[in-house]
Amino acid sequence: MSHRTTAAVEMQRTGRSRRSLFEAGLFATAGLLAAISQKAYAMTETSKEDRFSRGIGILRRIGGENFDGPINSLAEISADLSRFTVEYPYGDVLSRPGLELPLRQLCTISMLLADGSAQPQLKFHMAGFLNAGGEPRALVELMFVSVALLGFPPTITAIGIVRAVFAERKITFEPIEPAADDGRTRGQAGLAAIQRLCGGDVQAYFDGIAAGSPDLARLSIEFAFGEMLARDGLDQKAKLLAIIAILAASGNRAATLRLHIAGALAHGVTREEIIEVLIQLSVYRGFPSALNAFSVAKTVFAAGSQGMGADIALPIETQSRTDRLQRGRATLAKTSGSSGDAVVRSFDDVAPDLGRMIVEHSYGEIFSRSGIDMKSRELSACAALAAIGSATTEIPLRVHINAALNVGATREEVLETLINLTAYCGYPTTQQAVRIATEEFAKRG
């Protein structure tokens, strides 16, 4: 860190000795004080002067050679925010002893994946994971967890960042071998994965899904668990905590988060380790997300460690991967005019299975369904992607706008689909989507 920037940050850090309004508020609220450990508060006070130097130490380990570049740049605009960035995330949270730093970094990456629009930070922390001693393969395996919990758009964007990080570090990565089986046993693999990753009344959870859509319950087991989460390339504890991090960071996933916190407790993850992940959530997704996740965790902790209540009894299909893939190729060609083979091969340098799964699952199992016509399905995809409105959904939105036009939607129908979002997502989100649609219309002439 430059002398000028360091001096500015230090001046801001040490120049105010009065107690903050937040601390004063604590002392003024007797009821809240009763719930706070005085010993813990005293420990925070005695270590306060060390927060900045402790944070710099952790930041140096994560950030590598240019560890202070981002905070130096930030200090040019706000020395206070630069100081806060060192003191709280690194000095207060990431320096805590409850989790090893590589595992903390993997959880940070998981939270940023859920954000969808934090690509610079995602790249910084992917590199930081490697700097802290994490293995390149773990980064790639995390992408399969991402597909199960977040879908393909954020995962595809993240794979591009993984490639960039590997290239900058001159890492020669041996692609992960694709699955060699015929895909008929993924249902059984999914049931086994649920046993390893979930706890509590899992049967009731899936029965609730099956009451609305038996197919969704089945696909959840076969694809999300059987194809994605059943993989063994990621350490069990790392996978359990990454799942918790993604779900907690996504927000409004209480039922699923509850199952996975219970599963983590039942399979060797400690209550303290889960708490550390949720404290860390306050840094990367804010206190509201962290507090909501703690509320879910509290109910699980109160119930105690418990495995699954019973084996899941749901129908499982035995269709082969070849059948799904052929159907996916045909659907993709009809909607986007794209070569299924080209999509399948597009991830060969990192994880060949990802390309196959896009075609086989997204197009071979979802878009090929007959419940609604293809035009309606494409317009609904446009609405969903536009409503998410993250950086990771911009390219897929462009793809599906063109696909909607390819299967018979008019430009007016595309625009009406997007304008319909104003009441539900707000005008900025809708304006962004319409801008993208207008650009795609112009390309078609």
Side-chain angles (χ1 to χ4, degrees), residues 19 22 42-43 57 82 118 127 189 206 232 247 275 296 340 374 442:
R19 181 169 285 124
F22 174 72
M43 288 174 62
S82 179
F206 281 100
D232 59 6
L247 291 172
I275 288 172
V296 174
M374 190 60 69

Side-chain angles (χ1 to χ4, degrees), residues 26 55 59 72 130-131 149 157 178 180 185 207 230 234 345 381 391 411 414 419:
L26 292 183
L59 183 57
N72 280 352
L130 299 175
N131 290 338
L149 303 181
T157 300
T185 60
D207 282 348
L234 195 61
R345 305 293 299 183
R411 296 184 180 192
V414 171
I419 292 171

Side-chain angles (χ1 to χ4, degrees), residues 298-330:
K298 182 180 178 181
T299 65
V300 180
F301 294 161
S305 176
Q306 53 180 316
M308 283 177 49
D311 291 338
I312 299 173
L314 286 174
I316 302 297
E317 282 192 353
T318 58
Q319 192 176 58
S320 75
R321 177 171 292 126
T322 300
D323 292 337
R324 296 191 295 266
L325 197 57
Q326 288 178 346
R327 190 165 59 244
R329 286 188 172 114

Side-chain angles (χ1 to χ4, degrees), residues 13 37 65 90 148 160 173 180 234 251 337-338 344 377 418:
R13 181 172 70 94
S37 165
E65 184 178 351
Y90 298 99
F173 184 76
L234 195 61
S338 301
V344 169
R377 196 173 289 281
L418 300 179

Side-chain angles (χ1 to χ4, degrees), residues 177-355:
E177 287 293 323
D181 65 284
D182 66 1
R184 294 180 185 273
T185 60
R186 65 177 188 167
Q188 286 68 38
L191 293 172
I194 290 170
Q195 292 279 359
R196 296 193 301 272
L197 299 172
C198 296
D201 195 349
V202 180
Q203 182 69 56
Y205 176 80
F206 281 100
D207 282 348
I209 299 172
S213 172
D215 280 350
L216 178 60
R218 175 181 56 78
L219 287 170
S220 299
I221 295 170
E222 292 185 5
F223 182 75
F225 283 93
E227 293 262 19
M228 301 288 102
L229 298 179
R231 298 174 60 87
D232 59 6
L234 195 61
D235 173 78
Q236 172 81 346
K237 178 185 288 188
K239 181 182 289 187
L240 288 163
L241 291 179
I243 290 171
I244 290 171
I246 289 175
L247 291 172
S250 298
N252 200 28
R253 304 289 185 272
T256 312
L257 179 59
R258 190 175 295 112
L259 290 182
H260 284 285
I261 291 177
L265 289 173
H267 293 92
V269 178
T270 68
R271 170 176 168 158
E272 290 70 25
E273 288 169 328
I274 294 169
I275 288 172
E276 286 299 322
V277 171
L278 300 185
I279 290 174
Q280 191 166 319
L281 184 65
S282 70
V283 174
Y284 297 101
R285 295 294 281 164
F287 277 93
S289 292
L291 294 174
N292 290 339
F294 265 105
S295 179
V296 174
K298 182 180 178 181
T299 65
V300 180
F301 294 161
S305 176
Q306 53 180 316
M308 283 177 49
D311 291 338
I312 299 173
L314 286 174
I316 302 297
E317 282 192 353
T318 58
Q319 192 176 58
S320 75
R321 177 171 292 126
T322 300
D323 292 337
R324 296 191 295 266
L325 197 57
Q326 288 178 346
R327 190 165 59 244
R329 286 188 172 114
T331 304
L332 181 62
K334 181 178 179 180
T335 59
S336 299
S338 301
S339 165
D341 288 333
V343 176
V344 169
R345 305 293 299 183
S346 61
F347 296 91
D348 279 359
D349 60 325
V350 178
D353 273 339
L354 282 174

Side-chain angles (χ1 to χ4, degrees), residues 81-147:
L81 185 55
S82 179
R83 171 172 60 84
F84 296 157
T85 300
V86 175
E87 286 183 352
Y88 179 63
Y90 298 99
D92 281 343
V93 178
L94 295 184
S95 63
R96 290 169 62 89
L99 289 175
E100 294 296 321
L101 192 56
L103 186 51
R104 281 197 179 277
Q105 282 299 105
L106 198 71
C107 289
T108 296
I109 293 165
S110 300
M111 295 168 190
L112 293 172
L113 283 168
D115 181 283
S117 295
Q119 283 70 45
Q121 293 79 12
L122 185 58
K123 183 178 181 183
F124 179 86
H125 285 285
M126 283 181 173
F129 171 74
L130 299 175
N131 290 338
E135 293 295 327
R137 176 170 178 138
L139 279 181
V140 177
E141 286 291 345
L142 183 61
M143 299 300 102
F144 292 94
V145 178
S146 175
V147 168

